[in-house]
Structure formats: C-alpha cells, structure tokens
Amino acid sequence: MSCENTFIYQQVNSFDTPNLSPPEVVLTLLSGGKVFLEEQMTDLGGPIIIARDRAASATLVPRAVQTIHKAAVRHTKNLARDLRVAFSGILVTQPSASDSQHVIYCRPGRPGLGGVAGNGTSPNGASPSGTSSAGSSSTKSSSSVAPTGSGTSSAPSSPWKLTESHSGNNFFDGWDFTVGGDPTHGIVDFPILIALYGHSNDLQGLCSLLIKTLVLLEVNGNGNAVMRVETTPNVANTRQSIRITTHSSFNGGLVVMSAVHMPTGCGTWPIGPDWPAGGEIDIVEAVHDYTNNQMTIHTNPGCTLPTANAQALSISGSVIGGTDCAALTTGNQGCGIRANSNVSFGAGFNKNGGGTYAMQWDSSGIAVYFFPKGSEPADLTNETPLPNTWGNPLARWPASNCNPFQFFNNHHAIFDTTLCGDWAGSVWSVSGIPGQEQSCAERTGVSTCEAFVRGNGAAMAEAYWEVEYVKIYQNKS
C-alpha cells in the first residue's frame, strides 16, 4: 500500500460529476493510487458518490465500510438501503488482517475541489501556482492593504503575504496522509482513511456512533480540526494515529499554527508543524507529561549555534544539549532550545486555552515565537504579520553560523502523534524535566512505555490535536 496518500475526495471532482445539492452524502475511500468514480445514487434527494482505488485488492476493503453499513441499518432505514446497494460490490464477509488499518473521517458539507496554492511544489511534482486554487476555500492569498481615510498608511506594511491557509471545514484539504508504520519507531500505525460527508441530519447518527471508536479525524462544532489517537482499551501491538504532510513544499517562509489542545500524557510524542527533509525544524515537540516546548533543528554537519547564552542569542528559551546541530554527530539530537513557559506545551498549554506558534525562516536565520491564548499581536491575527515587532522569540538559530538556505530546503509542514518510539520510549523512566517531576514508570506503575500504551486505551483520551488554523506566508520580496 502506498505511503503517499492524499485526500481522494479532492480528486473526485476531476471527473464529470454533477452539481451536488443538499441533502447529500459523499463517501470516499482514501487509499493510494488512482481514483475512479464508481457509483452515483440519488435516492436521498442528493447523490451518494463512492470513489475507490480500483487497483486495491478486495481483501483491503475496510471494516469501517461494514461498520457504516451496519450502523445505517440500525439508525437510518432509507440510507441503509442506499448504502447496501452502493456497497454491494465492495462489502466483504471475512475482514482481513489489514482491516484494522482503516478509520473514518466525518466532515460536514461537500468535497472541496482540491489544490493548494503556494510557492513550492507538491510531493507528486505538481507546482501549485499563484495565490489561489480553483474552487477551494482552504487556500487563499492575503496582502497588506493601506487604510483608507488619511491617504497614508497608519501602520507598517507587512513584508509577508499569505499563500496557504488551512482552517474550518476545509482544514484537511491540501494534506497527504501517511499510511503504514512510524518512521520514529513508535507503536502506531497510520491508517487508510475513509472520508464521510453529509448535509442536514443524514450522517449525524453515524458520525456520533463512529466517533467513539473509529473516528480519528474531524472538524468539530467549533470549526477546529481534531486529530486523535485510537483509544481501544487493549491492543496487541500498535494503536492507530495520524500523520499529515502538506502537499506544498517551501524554501523559507513564516508558518503560523493556532491550537487549543495538543496531545499530552505518558506515552505520547506529538510533533506539530515539523519540516523534515533537507534539514528538520521541530516547532512544537516534547513527550509524556512535559509542559515546556522543545524546539530543535537537525542538519548536516556544519550548522551550529554561535553560543549557548540565551541573552546573547536574544531568546527567552534555554539552550539544551549543546550547540552542534548536526544529526550525525549528536546522535540525531540536533541543537534544542527549551521554552521557559510552562503553558507552551502539553497539559499547561491545554489548560491555558492553547496558543499560537509562529516559525520564521528567512535570510536572518530561523526563529520560533509563541503567544499564549489571548496574547497574539493584532498584526498576526489580522494576517499582516510583523515579526520584527514581536520581541524576543522562544528560540533562534542565527544565519551567521547556520545558513538557513544551505542546510534547509524543500520542506513540508507536518502534524504527527506517535506513541513511545525513539524519544518517548527511551525516557520512560526519566524524571526532572518540567512537568515530569516523576517519571512515567513511577506514575503509571508500568515498567515500559510499550506495555502501558498497549494496555491503557483510556489514557490516550488526551492524546489529540485540536487546531484552529495553519497559515503559511511567503516573503513579498
């Protein structure tokens, strides 16, 4: 199964499909490969569209499809009839071992028309161009506009233009979904997804039922994107989780992420907008019960911090682990800077209502800013960011010792929640980090991270992202 999966619902619109009008239900199987329009039905007053990868083996048809079918039988007689007919060619009687790798994504409304604007290139080689995409409100452009009235601007013009935005019902447009195992050796699987759409009350019963067991993704009632971890009480090996990567890639930019909740708890290792290949910039990252965010860069040899002195770096955080940023010579640790704020990560962040992170990557170097909820500067919320007015960042890696365009290139934004793995698994018995005054081994009474995660699904209840938006800006010059 391909590990570079996209939201297939975006591709459905490339076919000669009719104009959809409420009430409608759109069910899409998200799996690797080319999509073909298979069925259209209109018994609900609006079509059911089913798209499926024809190359996929019949043995890979997800149990989730059967779950929807069974739930429909119980809850909605007419919908059940239509789903039964529509699924007649793909329902299986004996689910295979692969079936556990499928989950449901419930989203109101209709499929977007796909495409994301940006200055970079998508993983499949397509180049998103301009500042808009056909029919998709998930991507828009923004530039500073001089106030009217006096004839002159009363505020400095922002050097940044908005080129990509993810929020609301269209948040998940423009992302690839990793399928398969975790590259950091966590005990998670990233599942094939099913996108389930509906208008009116067509799908409310189904989504309410499924959310308790199968739904890892949703846009909730507040319009926020939620990405969860599986909470089945006991699993034999891995839990299902989510890893998403933007289609667009970038060389430089300003990345802004506003969230109200991030994963926390023993066994968790969340990463939010992380830019991997060609150097790595970890904007939001920590493990277990940590409350202070750790920002880290990982590079090829030759990139360093000029000093470990926070005052000399003009940062509010603290350098940890040294000044060498090379993955090869530091055992992949890179050079990290820990926030001194106990509301910058985990339970402290969540209890405080969340906050906004901004990562600036330009000719001066790389810097990460954090604003607790309610303290965001007006220029940032107005989409005319002026980073030079924000004061000292949490973290900074100056260009003087690390050329940001030599050591970093062609990056994608990533959200990822893994469990245990290289970092969280190795510090299971470690204490003394802010928020982790007692080790997870002591707190849980379980000797290993893996044993705890596999046997305590309820403990994963707080292991979710709830994100208001992600916005990516490019320098106007």
Side-chain angles (χ1 to χ4, degrees):
M1 186 61 65
S2 169
C3 287
E4 295 199 359
N5 289 265
T6 61
F7 266 122
I8 286 174
Y9 69 77
Q10 297 184 45
Q11 302 174 33
V12 169
N13 293 275
S14 65
F15 295 88
D16 186 18
T17 56
N19 257 342
L20 305 182
S21 58
E24 68 187 42
V25 176
V26 181
L27 175 71
T28 315
L29 303 188
L30 286 89
S31 58
K34 192 173 182 180
V35 180
F36 294 85
L37 188 64
E38 288 195 340
E39 308 255 5
Q40 293 186 52
M41 304 190 63
T42 56
D43 289 356
L44 292 176
I48 296 177
I49 291 181
I50 301 175
R52 184 178 171 221
D53 179 359
R54 288 191 189 278
S57 166
T59 62
L60 294 177
V61 175
R63 181 183 295 121
V65 173
Q66 295 190 34
T67 304
I68 296 173
H69 173 63
K70 292 176 182 177
V73 171
R74 291 194 300 270
H75 296 284
T76 313
K77 181 178 179 181
N78 291 337
L79 179 58
R81 181 191 66 241
D82 292 332
L83 292 179
R84 184 163 50 251
V85 174
F87 292 168
S88 60
I90 61 173
L91 285 172
V92 291
T93 56
Q94 295 296 326
S96 72
S98 301
D99 293 342
S100 62
Q101 297 184 6
H102 299 78
V103 296
I104 300 296
Y105 164 41
C106 291
R107 166 183 161 174
R110 58 176 297 176
L113 297 182
V116 178
N119 293 338
T121 59
S122 65
N124 62 12
S127 295
S129 59
T131 55
S132 63
S133 62
S136 175
S137 61
S138 67
T139 302
K140 60 182 179 178
S141 64
S142 177
S143 60
S144 300
V145 178
T148 58
S150 65
T152 60
S153 175
S154 60
S157 175
S158 172
W160 299 95
K161 62 180 178 181
L162 181 63
T163 59
E164 182 167 337
S165 181
H166 302 269
S167 63
N169 286 337
N170 294 316
F171 180 93
F172 292 110
D173 292 355
W175 301 82
D176 286 327
F177 286 73
T178 299
V179 172
D182 174 36
T184 61
H185 309 107
I187 55 170
V188 296
D189 275 323
F190 302 117
I192 298 168
L193 299 172
I194 296 176
L196 184 62
Y197 303 84
H199 279 282
S200 303
N201 295 319
D202 293 332
L203 297 179
Q204 286 186 5
L206 290 177
C207 284
S208 296
L209 176 69
L210 291 167
I211 200 169
K212 297 178 181 178
T213 54
L214 292 176
V215 180
L216 299 189
L217 291 177
E218 70 163 332
V219 176
N220 65 17
N222 293 323
N224 298 334
V226 180
M227 295 168 272
R228 297 183 177 86
V229 168
E230 179 188 0
T231 57
T232 303
N234 295 278
V235 297
N237 188 22
T238 59
R239 291 190 178 276
Q240 293 176 355
S241 185
I242 298 295
R243 179 183 174 96
I244 62 175
T245 306
T246 54
H247 291 173
S248 299
S249 64
F250 306 90
N251 288 284
L254 179 69
V255 184
V256 182
M257 186 272 291
S258 180
V260 298
H261 192 281
M262 64 175 62
T264 186
C266 284
T268 60
W269 178 6
I271 303 172
D274 159 41
W275 303 59
E280 179 176 320
I281 306 169
D282 297 324
I283 303 171
V284 181
E285 185 179 28
V287 297
H288 301 318
D289 296 319
Y290 292 14
T291 55
N292 296 40
N293 184 38
Q294 181 171 319
M295 299 136 287
T296 308
I297 64 172
H298 309 261
T299 70
N300 284 330
C303 171
T304 64
L305 278 167
T307 177
N309 184 282
Q311 185 175 0
L313 290 171
S314 298
I315 60 174
S316 63
S318 301
V319 175
I320 56 175
T323 59
D324 183 3
C325 305
L328 182 64
T329 56
T330 63
N332 203 35
Q333 291 186 14
C335 51
I337 299 174
R338 180 180 294 142
N340 290 323
S341 167
N342 63 3
V343 298
S344 60
F345 191 87
F349 178 93
N350 300 338
K351 185 177 181 180
N352 199 50
T356 300
Y357 275 92
M359 187 279 289
Q360 180 180 359
W361 170 13
D362 62 12
S363 59
S364 68
I366 294 167
V368 177
Y369 297 84
F370 172 62
F371 306 100
K373 193 68 171 179
S375 69
E376 296 87 348
D379 60 275
L380 184 57
T381 58
N382 291 335
E383 298 182 346
T384 56
L386 297 165
N388 289 341
T389 69
W390 294 347
N392 288 344
L394 284 183
R396 187 198 309 274
W397 296 269
S400 60
N401 286 58
C402 186
N403 185 322
F405 297 104
Q406 174 186 347
F407 291 97
F408 302 93
N409 58 81
N410 298 326
H411 282 194
H412 301 265
I414 292 177
F415 280 94
D416 176 24
T417 303
T418 192
L419 302 173
C420 303
D422 295 337
W423 185 6
S426 66
V427 297
W428 181 251
S429 299
V430 174
S431 61
I433 308 298
Q436 201 73 61
E437 289 73 26
Q438 185 182 33
S439 74
C440 279
E442 294 173 310
R443 285 184 177 176
T444 65
V446 179
S447 61
T448 68
C449 181
E450 293 77 10
F452 176 77
V453 166
R454 288 170 179 146
N456 292 275
M460 303 298 110
E462 291 295 309
Y464 69 90
W465 289 97
E466 183 177 348
V467 182
E468 294 180 309
Y469 62 79
V470 171
K471 297 177 181 179
I472 300 175
Y473 297 80
Q474 293 296 312
N475 202 302
K476 292 177 182 178
S477 59

